[in-house]
């Protein structure tokens, strides 16, 4: 039960303030500003308790969103709501920025009225919201349409309205993954996991029933036992893996969970437009797209030699993009000379790091950078902590090895079948926190 | 030089600062700072030579970054380089950086010291000032070591500029405060004092701060400053406001200097030299006169400056306390301020008047303002001012106005702030008692007090009423009547019920003649309150009921009925249940005679210090000494011949120790040892115990169950007790030695051979007080552990161990103490001791606790010696010599001849022998100078008779006086041990 919701800019000025319950007073606004936004020490916990009032905040660029409550509320629910709200706002007016919020404050209050009632989260599905909260003028709706809205908002399938029609039935599937890694200087993997999302954009007529299949280990094993010779897994051939073990996953509300629990099949009626169908996490058999080999040598008190080699580790036909390696430098650096074989490297004093950027790089290649760092002798006895070298990239495959096996569409009422639907699948693997100790 | 053309603007710095200010977020700020730091690092890199201007600029930027809260770990060298620059701005920035950033253990300190030395020896006054300021700002020990010798030289040198002298004086003051041991004035003293004669007022002002600080530490060396200060003061005071030009502040000549001079004079007694004194008095008069003049300016600064001098002068007058004329004038002046518009002035006036009231000369003058003060108490809006007004009323109270003041305070109490109510209650109680002319007024007042502010009336207050009522026959009837009437009210405070129960229980018979307050009416009245009261009060009421049975036999049936009811006899509270059962039994078994003896009226209490006063003192803490001193004075001077005199004076004399007794119903001497374990409240005692040991001995044998009535004192009844009398405290044994017994523990042990109470041990952290009582072969010892610090002791544990064979000779039981001892608090521990057979060693007491993380480990010897178990035996001369002869075997006798280490005062010797526990037998020994004692040592296994003879040779020269001590007892070890113990005592 959220008591109130505030949006602040980076200075702590209140942009949006909506109070749902009487137990939240005006001073709560200031309490959060003073104790979190203007705190001397950066507040790292997303939940702050000030005078028996809990503040849950998320930060989007320079904007703070804070939900306030005096009750013992489910924190996960509050954060889910805040993320959802960010999604809704993004869907309505794009990037969440001070400017956009100021320009759309009427809309935001309207949205807040709709998605939160007396502090209880309501329907926050963008598609559904867009039908009755519009940014353009509202044309007077016919009686039928009005009654439709009521039944749709209160009905069983709140996320999709009836009577949608497209000339071309089309759907897009994006598998977006971010791979996280911590590696020791000797190349030993200390921790690695992939968190992925399957995002679906559908333009389908009517109320289609969809079924989604992927190379989930449990499903494949079950089918293998059943004797069926389904070659779909093998013919994929990208990573050479047949199936992957998913550690945990969550689904969009449209997915029928009972069916997933019973048969592990993912079937649903998709909302119109874009939605995040599922989220998942894997920790086993991850394909690490890059290997970083650091070499740091301290020459006396005033000099440091750094050599870093990166090796790409995927099919040579694929191209990685937007590669960026960030090599931290000691705090008493007084000068840096860099030589790199490929791309551009620069010492960024403001970030205390050497940043090496490569536009693209094919698989099974390697590249190298070497730098000489001059140090200023200090009277501080503290040794340099050697923070890890971090890396950013984007690769056109899923590092977890996930493959989409099928997505079938059935619409019994209308006259199109699975074959008439045009389907697109795309895999994007990005780096999360991808670090190597040096 | 290029730097000149660039000027001092430091544009780069300005740009950097404005960049930082324009940063939108913290991250952006950090990025900007990182960039700047990298830039500065690359500039400071060894290979390039920077000019002074850029060096200054970068050092300045570093300083700015540091002040923003970021760590700076370089640039110190560059800052030190700046010190050797010849330009003021560069030098200044260098010194600034060093004062802010260089910590005392830096490697650079030698370089810095060198640069400072150079600047000090340069003849440039600005550079010298900069260096002095840096020394003062850093103020570290190293700095003091390096320059403590140099600065006094600069200070007194004839050719030093005035501004440098000022800086030097203040710098020296700082060093002296930081490390007084390093700043030795010795040879410079007289020349420093003569700075008071300096032409330059600034130098005088700076020097006087130094002198005040130094002379408060060693007043004798700086005695000469008094006359100089007086002449300087008189010159300022008599000067016209225009004379001092720069040092005139809103038409007041040199107010700061005047205040400092007056404050310096407060470090010393009044000057003895008549001329000086005359001059000073003249000054003070002038200051008082000036206060009367119309203000020269309407500005608040003018009056502030003037009043500051005035108040300082008044506190000097109060400090001297010898000029009646001035004191009265000061008092009148303050009286004017009492009605001033400014709240601060009113506060200050009330505060100063409090001290004035204690002076014999001005007390009367203060009293004339009573109406104003009472008015202030009622109408002031600020609680702190009201508090002062209450303090002043308390201070100015004497016999003549006590009734009025007490009445006013009582009426104020109804509306008083909660924060000061308890204190007010105590004050009213004390004043009422102190100045009570007739005790009926006193009883009225206190009952009123309980009625108005019952919650704030502490135990001590109502204990005291009862003490007084019991000790004075003339008020008992009146008290009974008044409480009876007070109890008629439908809702009365529990404290009222307590007083009522107690007094009616004792003296209900005095009003029983009146049919309106017949015994049964009294009982019903009390019993109607019974069910609304807490357990301790109910217990007290039960005791009152049993007293009723004695007083009024006709109520016996009714009361027995009440006692027998399930709500008493099966009460869930053990204490109530026990009382009900025992009283019921007592009333049904015992004959009237026995009842009358047992339930006799309480004997008068011994006069002691008013427990309330002690409580007030405790509440106020050491800060309130002035009030107590004033109490003492008042007692002696104004209220001479008061019937209860002395109490407060004694209280004042040992003001620093908590009161020795606050248990009103003191059963100190009567409490038997070894009874059942103390129950929670142990309230039984408050009726059944009495001060006289004689009565108690008859009691014990009276009836089987009665011994159970002698529940030992509950620890809580003694909580307020201090660690004993201050005058008997042994010298503090400051030692942090760990586990083995302290070297002085044997000596400490010997201190307690002849006495039972006192301070066993004391160091900077801990004070251990002891109270002990022995009866036959049993002993009980109360240890009071006082935390002398303001920090709490953690994991405080104490263990008592009996080493070696002592284990089989002595049975020691301890109760564990609370592991936490709050700062300033005291915890009590009870130790029960049983002597099984005679013994030689003493048990060891080990105390462990953590003070600020450090483990403290102290082991002491518990002062339990064999003589503690002596029972005195009276016998006639014939008996004595017969027994003496019986114990004639050589091993039964122990003899020692030793030198007297103290004088041979007869009274002291007698007191010591009595303290030993034996009976001192008069007219036994044919030689009247000899002392003869007899006693029986009680152990569980046996009784050892013991005879003692002490023969002094008093005629010998002092220093050669000797004693011969002979002991005969039925057991050889006992003779030897007692002889050894006693030999140490004389």
């Amino acid at each position: 039960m959220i008591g109130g919701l505030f949006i602040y800019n980076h200075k702590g000025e209140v942009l949006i303030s909506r109070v749902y319950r009487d137990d939240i007073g005006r001073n709560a606004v200031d309490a959060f500003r003073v104790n979190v936004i203007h705190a001397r020490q950066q507040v790292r916990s997303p939940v702050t308790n000030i005078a028996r009032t809990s503040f849950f905040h998320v930060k989007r660029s320079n904007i703070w969103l804070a939900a306030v409550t005096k009750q013992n509320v489910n924190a996960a629910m509050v954060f889910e709501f805040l993320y959802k709200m960010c999604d809704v706002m993004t869907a309505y007016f794009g990037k969440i920025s001070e400017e956009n919020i100021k320009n759309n404050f009427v809309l935001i209050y309207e949205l807040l009225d709709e998605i939160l009632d007396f502090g209880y989260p309501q329907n926050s599905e963008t598609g559904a919201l867009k039908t009755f909260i519009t940014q353009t003028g509202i044309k007077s709706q016919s009686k039928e349409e009005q009654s439709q809205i009521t039944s749709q908002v209160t009905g069983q399938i709140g996320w999709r309205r009836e009577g949608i029609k497209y000339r071309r039935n089309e759907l897009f599937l994006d598998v977006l993954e971010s791979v996280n890694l911590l590696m020791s200087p000797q190349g030993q993997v200390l921790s690695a996991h992939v968190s992925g999302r399957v995002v679906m954009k559908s333009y389908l007529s009517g109320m289609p029933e969809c079924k989604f299949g992927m190379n989930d280990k449990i499903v494949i094993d079950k089918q293998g036992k059943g004797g069926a010779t389904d070659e779909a897994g093998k013919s994929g051939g990208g990573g050479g893996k047949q199936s992957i073990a998913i550690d945990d996953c969550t689904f969009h509300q449209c997915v029928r969970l009972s069916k997933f629990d019973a048969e592990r099949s993912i079937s649903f009626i998709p909302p119109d437009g874009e939605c995040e169908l599922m989220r998942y996490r894997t920790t086993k058999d991850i394909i690490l797209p890059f290997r970083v080999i650091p070499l740091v040598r301290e020459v006396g008190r005033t000099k440091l030699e750094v050599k870093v080699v990166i090796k790409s580790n995927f099919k040579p036909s694929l191209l990685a993009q937007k590669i960026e390696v960030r090599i931290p430098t000691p705090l008493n650096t007084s000068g840096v000379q860099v030589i790199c074989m490929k791309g551009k490297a620069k010492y960024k004093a403001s970030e205390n790091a050497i940043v090496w950027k490569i536009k693209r790089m094919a698989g099974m290649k390697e590249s190298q950078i070497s730098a000489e760092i001059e140090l200023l002798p200090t009277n501080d006895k503290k040794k340099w902590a050697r923070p890890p070298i971090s890396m950013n990239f984007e690769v056109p495959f899923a590092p977890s090895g996930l493959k989409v096996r099928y997505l079938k569409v059935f619409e019994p009422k209308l006259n199109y079948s699975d074959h008439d639907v045009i389907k697109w699948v795309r895999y994007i693997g990005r780096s999360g926190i991808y670090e190597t100790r040096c | 030089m290029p730097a000149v053309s660039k000027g001092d603007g430091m544009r780069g710095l300005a740009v950097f600062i404005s960049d930082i200010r324009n940063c939108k977020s913290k991250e952006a700020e950090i990025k900007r700072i990182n960039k700047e730091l990298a830039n500065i690092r690359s500039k400071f890199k060894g290979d390039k030579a920077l000019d002074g201007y850029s060096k200054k600029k970068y050092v300045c930027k570093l300083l700015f970054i540091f002040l923003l809260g970021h760590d700076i770990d370089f640039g110190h060298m560059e800052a030190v380089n700046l010190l050797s620059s010849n330009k003021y701005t560069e030098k200044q920035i260098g010194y600034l950086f060093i004062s802010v950033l260089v910590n005392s253990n830096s490697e650079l300190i030698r370089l810095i010291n060198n640069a400072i030395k150079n600047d000090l020896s340069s003849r440039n006054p600005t550079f010298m000032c900069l260096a002095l300021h840096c020394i003062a700002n850093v103020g570290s020990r190293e700095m003091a070591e390096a320059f403590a010798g140099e600065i006094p030289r600069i200070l007194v040198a004839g050719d030093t500029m005035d501004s440098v002298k000022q800086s030097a004086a203040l710098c020296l003051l700082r060093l002296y405060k930081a490390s007084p041991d390093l700043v030795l004035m010795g040879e410079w003293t007289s020349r420093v004092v003569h700075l008071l004669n300096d032409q330059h007022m600034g130098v005088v002002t700076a020097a006087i701060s130094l002198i005040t600080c130094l002379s408060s530490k060693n007043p004798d060396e700086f005695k000469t400053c008094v006359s100089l200060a007086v002449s300087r003061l008189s010159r300022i005071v008599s000067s016209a406001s225009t004379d001092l030009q720069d040092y005139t502040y809103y038409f007041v000549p040199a107010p700061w200097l005047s205040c400092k001079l007056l404050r310096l004079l407060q470090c010393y007694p009044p000057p003895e030299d008549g001329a000086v004194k005359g001059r000073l008095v003249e000054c003070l008069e002038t200051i008082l006169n000036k206060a009367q003049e119309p203000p020269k300016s309407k500005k608040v600064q003018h009056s502030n400056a003037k009043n500051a001098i005035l108040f300082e002068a008044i506190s000097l007058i109060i400090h001297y306390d010898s000029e009646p004329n001035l004191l009265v004038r000061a008092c009148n002046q303050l009286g004017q301020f009492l009605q001033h518009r400014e709240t601060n002035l009113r506060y200050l006036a009330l505060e100063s008047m409090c001290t004035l009231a204690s002076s014999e000369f001005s007390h009367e003058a203060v009293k004339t303002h009573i109406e104003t003060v009472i008015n202030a108490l009622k109408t002031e809006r600020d609680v702190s001012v009201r508090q002062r007004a209450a303090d002043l009323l308390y201070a100015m109270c004497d016999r003549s106005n006590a009734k009025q003041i007490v009445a006013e305070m009582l009426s104020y109490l109804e509306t008083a702030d909660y924060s000061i109510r308890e204190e007010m209650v105590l004050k009213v109680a004390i004043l009422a008692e102190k100045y009570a002319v007739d005790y009926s007024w006193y009883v009225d007042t206190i009952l009123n007090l309980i009625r108005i502010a019952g919650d704030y009336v502490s135990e001590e207050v109502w204990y005291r009423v009862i003490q007084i009522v019991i000790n004075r026959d003339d008020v008992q009837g009146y008290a009974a009547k008044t409480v009876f009437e007070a109890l008629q009210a439908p809702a009365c405070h529990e404290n009222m019920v307590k007083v009522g129960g107690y007094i009616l229980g004792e003296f209900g018979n005095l009003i029983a003649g009146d049919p309106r307050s017949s015994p049964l009416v009294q009982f019903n009245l009390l019993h109607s309150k019974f069910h609304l009261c807490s357990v301790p009060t109910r217990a007290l009421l039960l005791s009152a009921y049993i007293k009723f049975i004695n007083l009024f036999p006709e109520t016996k049936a009714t009361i027995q009925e009440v006692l027998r009811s399930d709500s008493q006899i099966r009460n869930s509270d053990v204490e109530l249940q026990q009382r009900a059962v025992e009283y019921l039994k007592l009333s049904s078994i015992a004959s009237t005679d026995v009842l009358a003896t047992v339930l006799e009226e309480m004997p008068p209490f011994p006069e002691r210090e008013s427990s309330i006063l002690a409580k007030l003192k405790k509440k106020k803490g050491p800060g309130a000494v002035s009030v107590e001193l004033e109490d003492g004075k008042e007692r002696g001077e104004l209220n001479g011949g008061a019937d209860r005199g002395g109490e407060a004076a004694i209280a004042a004399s040992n003001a620093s120790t908590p009161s020795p007794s606050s248990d009103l119903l003191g059963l100190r001497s009567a409490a038997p040892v070894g009874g059942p374990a103390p129950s929670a409240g142990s309230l039984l005692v408050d009726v059944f115990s009495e001060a006289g040991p004689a009565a108690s001995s008859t009691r014990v044998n009276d009836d089987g169950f009665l011994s159970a009535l002698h529940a030992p004192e509950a620890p809580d009844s003694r909580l307020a007790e201090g660690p004993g009398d201050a005058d008997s405290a042994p010298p503090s044994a400051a030692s942090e030695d760990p586990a083995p017994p302290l070297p002085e523990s044997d000596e400490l042990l010997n201190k307690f051979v002849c006495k039972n109470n006192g301070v066993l041990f004391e160091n900077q952290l801990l004070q251990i007080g002891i109270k002990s009582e022995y009866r036959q072969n049993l002993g009980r010892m109360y240890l009071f552990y006082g935390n002398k610090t303001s920090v709490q002791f953690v994991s405080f544990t104490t263990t008592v161990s009996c080493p070696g064979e002592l284990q089989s000779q002595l049975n020691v039981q301890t109760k564990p103490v609370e592991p936490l001892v709050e700062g300033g608090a005291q915890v009590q521990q009870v130790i029960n001791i049983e002597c099984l057979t005679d013994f030689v060693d003493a048990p060891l007491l080990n105390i462990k606790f953590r003070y600020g993380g450090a483990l403290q480990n102290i082991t002491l010897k518990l002062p339990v010696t064999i003589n503690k178990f002596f029972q005195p035996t009276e016998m006639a001369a014939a008996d004595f010599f017969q027994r003496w002869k019986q114990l004639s075997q050589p091993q039964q006798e122990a003899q020692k001849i030793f030198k007297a280490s103290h004088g041979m005062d007869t009274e002291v010797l007698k007191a010591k022998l009595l303290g030993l526990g034996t009976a001192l037998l008069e007219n036994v020994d044919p030689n009247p100078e000899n002392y003869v004692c007899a006693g029986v040592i009680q152990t569980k296994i046996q009784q050892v008779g013991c005879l003692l003879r002490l023969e002094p040779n008093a005629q010998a020269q002092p220093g050669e006086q000797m004693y011969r001590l002979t002991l005969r007892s039925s057991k050889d070890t006992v003779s030897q041990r007692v002889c050894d113990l006693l030999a140490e005592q004389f």
Side-chain angles (χ1 to χ4, degrees), chain A residues 29-40 50:
Chain A
V29 188
D30 300 322
F32 182 76
R33 180 187 25 242
V34 171
N35 291 297
V36 180
I37 302 179
H38 290 166
R40 265 160 190 274
I50 307 160

Side-chain angles (χ1 to χ4, degrees), chain A residues 148-328:
Chain A
Q148 220 182 349
I149 285 178
T150 321
S151 73
Q152 198 243 311
V153 169
T154 55
Q156 206 179 8
I157 303 169
W159 56 88
R160 191 178 179 97
R161 68 191 166 89
E162 293 202 39
I164 300 170
K165 278 203 178 73
Y166 287 102
R167 229 154 39 91
R168 235 153 76 107
N169 288 306
E170 211 171 3
L171 72 82
F172 301 86
L173 267 184
D174 286 350
V175 177
L176 307 170
E177 295 195 338
S178 74
V179 53
N180 300 283
L181 168 78
L182 182 63
M183 192 178 252
S184 77
Q186 289 77 33
Q188 198 179 359
V189 175
L190 300 172
S191 82
H193 75 269
V194 170
S195 60
R197 314 188 292 147
V198 178
V199 175
M200 177 178 173
K201 208 182 260 180
S202 64
Y203 303 101
L204 299 170
S205 313
M207 294 293 261
E209 175 80 38
C210 300
K211 208 171 167 193
F212 174 67
M214 56 179 180
N215 56 344
D216 181 3
K217 196 163 191 268
I218 298 171
V219 179
I220 302 284
D221 286 357
K222 212 156 65 180
Q223 283 169 352
K225 249 182 237 164
T229 50
D230 189 3
E231 294 296 308
K234 276 178 197 161
S235 60
K241 270 197 306 179
Q242 288 183 10
S243 57
I244 60 160
I246 288 176
D247 283 24
D248 46 51
C249 55
T250 56
F251 293 102
H252 188 265
Q253 59 167 333
C254 64
V255 175
R256 294 194 184 88
L257 290 177
S258 54
K259 229 167 178 183
F260 178 76
D261 287 341
E263 312 163 18
R264 226 172 153 84
S265 74
I266 303 165
S267 68
F268 53 94
I269 296 170
D272 196 35
E274 192 175 314
C275 78
E276 186 185 282
L277 184 63
M278 75 178 282
R279 266 187 243 171
Y280 58 91
R281 206 168 64 90
T282 69
T283 49
K284 287 203 188 72
D285 300 328
I286 292 164
I287 308 156
L288 296 173
F290 285 97
R291 168 90 206 275
V292 178
I293 303 155
L295 199 77
V296 180
R297 211 158 66 87
E298 284 178 47
V299 188
R301 278 190 72 195
T302 59
K303 207 165 158 192
L304 201 66
E305 281 179 3
V306 181
K307 204 169 103 179
V308 176
V309 181
I310 58 168
K311 282 184 183 168
S312 57
N313 180 31
F314 45 88
K315 277 201 290 189
S317 58
L318 298 173
L319 268 182
Q321 284 185 315
K322 298 178 191 167
I323 300 151
E324 187 187 286
V325 182
R326 183 176 288 265
I327 303 158

Side-chain angles (χ1 to χ4, degrees), chain B residues 44-56:
Chain B
F44 280 175
K45 208 159 53 178
D47 41 2
K48 279 169 262 168
L50 285 174
D51 62 1
Y53 167 78
S54 3
K55 223 181 256 176
K56 176 182 76 172

Side-chain angles (χ1 to χ4, degrees), chain A residues 73-84:
Chain A
V73 73
N74 181 346
M77 185 274 279
V78 176
F79 282 110
E80 184 62 36
F81 173 78
L82 286 175
Y83 292 139
K84 206 83 205 175

Side-chain angles (χ1 to χ4, degrees), chain A residues 10-11 38-42 59 62 330-335 347 349-352 374-382, chain B residues 23-27 30-32 34-35 37-47 71 73-76 106-108:
Chain A
H10 72 278
K11 289 183 195 149
H38 290 166
R40 265 160 190 274
Q41 235 127 55
Q42 200 188 350
K59 219 180 154 196
N62 269 334
L331 291 174
N332 54 347
T333 304
S334 60
Y347 167 58
S350 60
E351 292 156 39
N352 283 322
E374 282 174 71
L375 303 176
L376 191 75
T378 64
N379 41 8
D380 211 355
K381 303 285 183 294
K382 256 190 297 176
Chain B
C23 279
K24 293 232 162 169
S25 64
K26 205 150 199 163
E27 291 77 36
I30 289 168
K31 277 190 175 170
R32 181 69 185 88
N34 278 340
K35 196 175 151 198
L37 283 176
N39 176 35
I40 298 171
R41 279 196 300 262
S42 68
K43 289 286 195 297
F44 280 175
K45 208 159 53 178
D47 41 2
D71 279 340
D73 52 6
F74 66 99
H76 301 75
S106 163
E107 303 151 1
L108 293 170

